[in-house]
């Protein structure tokens, strides 16, 4: 069976840690060799680590892993466990006296589902590394998407489940672009082709409320009293085309169009939407390959498909305690 997820790209592995005590967790993308990376942050309430290092003017161009985690700012601790794992493997940026693993991370808010004192810590990140594999990525309510919800403008009790989704597209010339998303948006999720709402805020009778329509007709006039930083869609876009950090920053920017095609509203003051873009170059690609503009266009497409897949798989048993409306 064809692998339609991020791990279709040779040279990377994905591992989840899902906490059985409440729906939360983390997801790590590990690279067999250092990967050139860029990042673009669009949400107004991001929670990140090591994103400044990916700015085009800054020194380090390559990363050794990327972490996506629940737990709000507490969940950034998961990256510490990934650093520990990589250090034990002798992996890192050579500074002469040591090898320092470069591990950017982004988090989402899921503290409303269960005991907020439970969050992905360093041990969770370490275990996600041990679980990393080239097998097709598990999707749904696992890893960083375990406690994810979408459509929260009418309150968490009327939200739908979010989750992890992944999708890839391979061109006839061997070029591959893939995405892995943890979808925890304040807005509704619409199918990019039909524009039908497939997950989001629900009315008391179970029908979708349509948050965009609620804002247009004045039924919703403000986002408060939603907790700040209570949402966020985070993810990784990868390609097997060799690209520079500048080019990958542009790919990450264009990839956000995939969020705009599927999440309404998106990039709000309460979202921390962050997308990383990485190049895991394939040495056997032909000399002439798809350019950055085409790669960014493909990135937006696979991001949109990954969002859809994140909210459509059946939820895992660990997520059943989340206080969200049943479909």
């Amino acid at each position: 069976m064809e692998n339609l997820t991020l791990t279709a790209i040779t040279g990377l592995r994905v591992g989840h840690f899902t906490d059985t005590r409440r729906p939360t967790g983390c997801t790590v993308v590990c690279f067999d060799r250092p990967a050139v990376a860029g990042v673009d942050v669009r949400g107004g309430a991001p929670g990140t680590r090591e994103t400044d290092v990916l700015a085009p003017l800054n020194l380090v161009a390559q990363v050794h892993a990327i972490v996506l985690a629940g737990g709000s700012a507490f969940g950034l601790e998961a990256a510490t466990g990934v650093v520990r794992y990589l250090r034990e493997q002798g992996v890192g940026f050579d500074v002469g006296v040591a090898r320092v693993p470069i591990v950017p991370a982004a988090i989402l808010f899921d503290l409303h589902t269960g005991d907020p004192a439970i969050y992905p810590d360093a041990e969770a990140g370490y275990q996600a590394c041990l679980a990393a594999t080239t097998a097709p990525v598990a999707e749904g309510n696992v890893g960083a998407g375990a406690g994810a919800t979408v459509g929260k403008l009418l309150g968490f009790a009327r939200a739908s489940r979010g989750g992890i989704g992944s999708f890839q597209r391979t061109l006839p010339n061997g070029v591959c672009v893939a995405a892995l998303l943890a979808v925890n948006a304040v807005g509704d999720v619409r199918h990019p082709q039909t524009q039908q709402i497939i997950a989001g805020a629900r009315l008391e009778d179970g029908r979708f409320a349509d948050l965009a329509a609620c804002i247009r007709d004045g039924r919703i006039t403000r986002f408060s009293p939603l907790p700040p930083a209570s949402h966020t869609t985070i993810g990784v876009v990868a390609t097997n085309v060799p690209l520079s950090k500048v080019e990958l920053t542009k790919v990450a920017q264009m990839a956000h169009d995939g969020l705009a095609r599927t999440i309404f509203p998106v990039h709000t003051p309460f979202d921390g939407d962050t997308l990383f873009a990485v190049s895991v170059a394939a040495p056997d690609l032909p000399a002439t390959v798809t350019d950055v503009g085409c790669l960014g266009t493909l990135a937006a497409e696979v991001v949109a498909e990954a969002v859809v897949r994140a909210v459509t798989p059946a939820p895992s048993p660990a997520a059943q305690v989340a206080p969200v409306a049943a479909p």
Side-chain angles (χ1 to χ4, degrees), residues 100-114:
V100 180
I102 306 300
V103 183
I107 51 87
L108 55 81
F109 184 100
D110 60 7
L111 298 180
H112 53 278
T113 54

Side-chain angles (χ1 to χ4, degrees), residues 37-67:
V39 67
D40 189 61
V41 180
R42 295 291 175 92
T48 59
R49 163 181 166 152
E50 296 266 48
T51 50
D52 282 352
V53 76
L54 300 182
L57 294 179
N58 291 340
L59 174 64
V60 176
Q62 296 176 319
V63 302
H64 304 96
I66 294 175
V67 176

Side-chain angles (χ1 to χ4, degrees), residues 141-203:
N141 295 122
V142 295
T149 51
V150 297
K152 286 163 277 195
L153 271 182
L154 300 182
F156 290 115
R158 295 190 184 179
S160 299
R161 300 187 191 283
I164 284 274
S166 188
F167 188 72
Q168 67 90 6
R169 191 175 299 281
T170 301
L171 305 186
N173 63 357
V175 167
C176 184
V177 181
L180 172 69
L181 275 292
V183 182
N184 188 57
V186 63
D188 296 327
V189 175
R190 294 175 181 264
H191 195 283
Q193 276 77 50
T194 66
Q195 289 301 297
Q196 290 185 324
I197 299 174
I198 57 177
R202 293 180 180 273
L203 300 171

Side-chain angles (χ1 to χ4, degrees), residues 253-264:
Q253 290 175 348
M254 294 180 69
H256 274 277
D257 289 353
L259 301 185
R261 294 171 191 169
T262 50
I263 300 173
F264 299 82

Side-chain angles (χ1 to χ4, degrees), residues 199-213:
R202 293 180 180 273
L203 300 171
E204 290 184 357
D205 61 8
R207 292 180 297 118
F208 289 119
D210 191 340
L211 294 176

Side-chain angles (χ1 to χ4, degrees), residues 170 225 249 275 294 301:
T170 301
T249 300
L275 293 181
C294 291
E301 286 193 359

Side-chain angles (χ1 to χ4, degrees), residues 4 99 135 140:
L4 294 177
R99 290 186 177 272

